[in-house]
Amino acid sequence: MSIKTESRIGAPEVLFGLATAILLIVVGVPMALIFFNAFWVDGALNVADVMKVLKSPETFQALGNSLVLAGGVTVTGTLVGTFFAWLVTRTDLPFKKTMKLLFLVPFMLPAFIGALAWKMLLSPRAGYVNRFWMDTLGFESPLFDIYSYAGIILIETMYLFPFVFIKVSGALERMDPTLEESARISGADLFTITRKITIPLIMPSIVSGALLICLYSMAHFGTVAVLGMEVGIYNIPTLIYEKIHQSAGSWNSIRTATVLSMVLVTTAAIILWIQNRVLSKGKYQIIAGKSFRPTELRLGVFRTPMLIFCCVYIFVTIIVPTATIFGVGALKTYGLPLSLENMTLHNFEYILFEWELTRDSIWNSISLGLASALVTMFCGVIISYVIVKMKVRGKGFLEFLGMLPFSLPGSVIALGVILAWSGKFGINIYNTVWIILVAYIARYMAFSLKSNSAALEQVHDSLVEASRASGATPWQALRDIVIPLIRPGMVAAFFLIFLPALRELTTSVLLYGPTTRTIGVAIYTLNEDGETVYACALAGVALLLIVGGEILIKRFFEKKKRKDNGGA
């Protein structure tokens, strides 16, 4: 009897149990408590209070704002992303490779920092562009009011269009050009070919990217917080933040926030359902797996104007806001003209070496980013190993739990960990750095699972079986065979988690305490407190950290690729 028991509880069961425990702690319990606390009060079902929150005018207004903003950003982001993807893949535009890389830069930058920059440029009365427009050129009204629905949509479009750009450019590069050539030989003009052949072929990629934009825009906190809250424009994430912070985190306000979170979860589920329905349509799956050289459309007289247009767009969306952040961060006092005599490096020195608030925020972001990346990377290896390589019941449930936070807004995840780890189970880590770490692990687990699962799929089962036949234990096989082979996937997972965690705002803005501000939270709170020059100086430091990290990652993978090619 004892022999049977030992055979049942082996390495597969231990790994499965460990993987299940990790996901239940960081994902399952917090998400379950959101729904439980929304409907249950003092041990009884209470639907009346839920309906009261849902029917309140501010909920309707916030939901309406979320839908309007997400809809506007989705339409504009899809048009911009599709146009630029077509331009760099299917035309003879000069410097196409450089342009393609530059169009991806906004994807790496925090949108709320861009919103902060454009606030200083286009606020109705104090914005530098509007002041020049009215004071110097003599116009009575500002050129553009950034505190508006149009302003928020414009800024979010700048930073979210790469979702569509990446997907559509990839589809256009893989598409068999003979389909278009056949239509051209048959006498069809460019407009007809584009409308009847090209667009239907890439429609799954367009819709997939558009729905990702919609999902991210619905969950965005930073842009609406910087540009909307001041004039009464709230979406669901900013309303959740306002409810919790107005009542200093009281349980009544948290319970109201759980109902609002359900609205976000339901909306995200609908968006993902629509995406799956569109992508499952077989009639559009005509993109071949072979490598083709796409037919290039000659732009002719429009070649130079299109290049100028691309350069202007990149200048306006990347160079101008970045220069504004560093320029205002160097001003002696906010409001002075952006000239050299009004600038000093003291602000940067102060936030880096003297002011404890910002020094701590930089340390918190870097340490939280490193810790969450390391923990999530190794946890992802264990969970991915169970999902990909082991034949155990319930691994589909593990995959569902691991991928669930990827489709949820950061504010929902933050609220879940508040409910779970604020004393309910005898563990109270609220207002500590640990609760932010748990939230980061939950939010970025999907990144680790995707990267490690892809790497594990490439490790043939025969290698593990050979090590087991040679007498190695499952743990030795994992340590000596599997992990060395999937190390590139682990490194990729680490960086995929570290850099987003470094600039994170939506989750940490609901979780930070007096000593646990992150860089994103510190920038946001400094701006809210009127410390504009210090907020910009810290934002400049954050941009340097992020861009520096991206450059290091790119060099690492380029070096590895050269090494692999040389070894081959």
Side-chain angles (χ1 to χ4, degrees):
M1 191 72 178
S2 62
I3 295 174
K4 289 182 180 179
T5 303
E6 284 185 17
S7 64
R8 288 176 185 170
I9 306 177
E13 287 73 22
V14 171
L15 283 174
F16 179 75
L18 181 61
T20 304
I22 292 169
L23 288 177
L24 284 177
I25 289 171
V26 299
V27 179
V29 172
M31 294 304 104
L33 284 175
I34 286 180
F35 288 91
F36 180 82
N37 280 273
F39 286 101
W40 290 83
V41 180
D42 298 327
L45 184 66
N46 189 343
V47 180
D49 284 353
V50 174
M51 297 308 297
K52 183 180 178 182
V53 174
L54 292 177
K55 290 180 179 179
S56 69
E58 61 182 357
T59 301
F60 269 104
Q61 185 179 7
L63 179 59
N65 289 340
S66 293
L67 293 174
V68 168
L69 293 172
V73 175
T74 301
V75 171
T76 54
T78 301
L79 291 174
V80 171
T82 303
F83 173 73
F84 283 131
W86 173 79
L87 204 59
V88 301
T89 57
R90 308 309 295 271
T91 72
D92 61 345
L93 181 76
F95 310 111
K96 289 197 297 184
K97 289 184 178 180
T98 303
M99 289 293 141
K100 187 173 182 180
L101 288 175
L102 290 174
F103 284 134
L104 295 177
V105 171
F107 190 68
M108 308 171 190
L109 303 177
F112 78 94
I113 292 181
L116 180 63
W118 284 106
K119 172 184 174 180
M120 291 178 292
L121 289 169
L122 290 173
S123 61
R125 296 179 182 177
Y128 285 101
V129 172
N130 282 329
R131 281 170 53 185
F132 175 79
W133 181 258
M134 292 185 291
D135 297 345
T136 305
L137 300 183
F139 290 90
E140 294 183 359
S141 58
L143 175 65
F144 185 79
D145 183 1
I146 200 68
Y147 296 132
S148 61
Y149 291 96
I152 296 170
I153 290 171
L154 181 67
I155 300 307
E156 289 199 349
T157 298
M158 290 181 185
Y159 293 93
L160 294 181
F161 86 89
F163 280 114
V164 170
F165 177 82
I166 291 168
K167 288 183 172 291
V168 174
S169 59
L172 287 170
E173 287 171 348
R174 298 192 310 272
M175 191 169 68
D176 186 351
T178 57
L179 298 168
E180 295 169 311
E181 289 171 2
S182 299
R184 191 175 291 110
I185 292 171
S186 301
D189 57 24
L190 176 63
F191 178 75
T192 303
I193 293 170
T194 302
R195 181 170 54 90
K196 292 190 174 182
I197 296 178
T198 308
I199 290 179
L201 285 174
I202 63 173
M203 186 57 69
S205 298
I206 294 174
V207 174
S208 177
L211 290 173
L212 278 175
I213 289 178
C214 187
L215 189 66
Y216 271 74
S217 183
M218 284 289 294
H220 252 194
F221 170 83
T223 306
V224 181
V226 172
L227 301 177
M229 289 172 64
E230 191 170 326
V231 291
I233 299 175
Y234 288 83
N235 62 354
I236 295 293
T238 53
L239 185 60
I240 291 173
Y241 170 82
E242 193 75 4
K243 287 293 181 185
I244 292 177
H245 279 261
Q246 271 182 351
S247 306
S250 70
W251 281 105
N252 285 333
S253 63
I254 288 176
R255 192 166 173 280
T256 301
T258 61
V259 179
L260 295 172
S261 296
M262 287 175 51
V263 175
L264 274 181
V265 172
T266 303
T267 307
I270 293 171
I271 292 171
L272 291 172
W273 178 79
I274 294 172
Q275 184 183 49
N276 289 333
R277 290 279 296 175
V278 170
L279 295 180
S280 64
K281 298 284 186 182
K283 64 179 181 179
Y284 290 133
Q285 296 175 355
I286 319 172
I287 296 175
K290 294 181 181 180
S291 176
F292 293 95
R293 175 175 293 181
T295 303
E296 285 190 351
L297 173 69
R298 295 189 178 278
L299 294 173
V301 294
F302 295 103
R303 194 166 183 257
T304 300
M306 282 293 102
L307 176 63
I308 294 172
F309 176 75
C310 290
C311 291
V312 169
Y313 184 88
I314 290 165
F315 177 78
V316 170
T317 57
I318 300 173
I319 306 299
V320 169
T322 303
T324 302
I325 288 293
F326 282 99
V328 174
L331 284 177
K332 296 173 183 176
T333 303
Y334 179 58
L336 292 174
L338 291 171
S339 56
L340 289 177
E341 60 266 20
N342 294 326
M343 294 187 180
T344 175
L345 293 177
H346 174 70
N347 297 333
F348 295 95
E349 295 173 2
Y350 185 57
I351 65 163
L352 285 172
F353 305 111
E354 298 179 34
W355 204 1
E356 190 175 351
L357 166 70
T358 53
R359 214 170 50 235
D360 288 348
S361 71
I362 295 171
W363 167 251
N364 287 337
S365 283
I366 293 175
S367 58
L368 278 168
L370 290 172
S372 60
L374 283 170
V375 172
T376 310
M377 177 185 70
F378 284 111
C379 289
V381 170
I382 294 171
I383 299 166
S384 298
Y385 188 77
V386 172
I387 293 171
V388 176
K389 292 298 182 183
M390 301 178 73
K391 297 178 181 179
V392 291
R393 287 184 177 182
K395 65 180 185 179
F397 175 68
L398 287 185
E399 188 171 12
F400 167 75
L401 273 185
M403 299 304 295
L404 178 62
F406 182 72
S407 61
L408 296 178
S411 52
V412 174
I413 295 169
L415 193 57
V417 297
I418 290 173
L419 293 170
W421 310 118
S422 296
K424 191 175 186 68
F425 300 105
I427 301 173
N428 190 350
I429 55 175
Y430 188 60
N431 271 350
T432 70
V433 73
W434 301 107
I435 197 168
I436 303 177
L437 178 61
V438 171
Y440 282 8
I441 292 170
R443 187 169 192 191
Y444 299 118
M445 182 62 73
F447 292 20
S448 182
L449 292 185
K450 284 189 173 185
S451 182
N452 286 309
S453 294
L456 281 165
E457 292 282 2
Q458 297 176 344
V459 178
H460 201 278
D461 293 340
S462 61
L463 297 173
V464 177
E465 291 167 2
S467 67
R468 295 297 307 280
S470 302
T473 66
W475 302 105
Q476 289 173 324
L478 179 63
R479 183 191 66 195
D480 299 333
I481 304 295
V482 177
I483 289 180
L485 291 173
I486 65 168
R487 192 172 288 126
M490 294 173 65
V491 172
F494 176 88
F495 286 117
L496 281 172
I497 297 163
F498 174 68
L499 286 172
L502 195 63
R503 62 178 184 256
E504 208 283 328
L505 174 65
T506 306
T507 302
S508 49
V509 77
L510 292 176
L511 299 174
Y512 76 93
T515 61
T516 59
R517 285 181 173 89
T518 60
I519 291 178
V521 171
I523 294 169
Y524 175 71
T525 53
L526 283 170
N527 179 62
E528 289 297 293
D529 294 340
E531 300 285 358
T532 306
V533 292
Y534 292 132
C536 289
L538 184 56
V541 173
L543 289 176
L544 290 176
L545 288 172
I546 293 164
V547 173
E550 296 284 355
I551 292 172
L552 288 175
I553 293 169
K554 185 180 178 183
R555 288 187 177 179
F556 170 83
F557 282 108
E558 285 179 350
K559 184 177 179 182
K560 182 186 174 302
K561 186 177 180 181
R562 287 196 299 268
K563 184 178 178 181
D564 292 344
N565 291 337

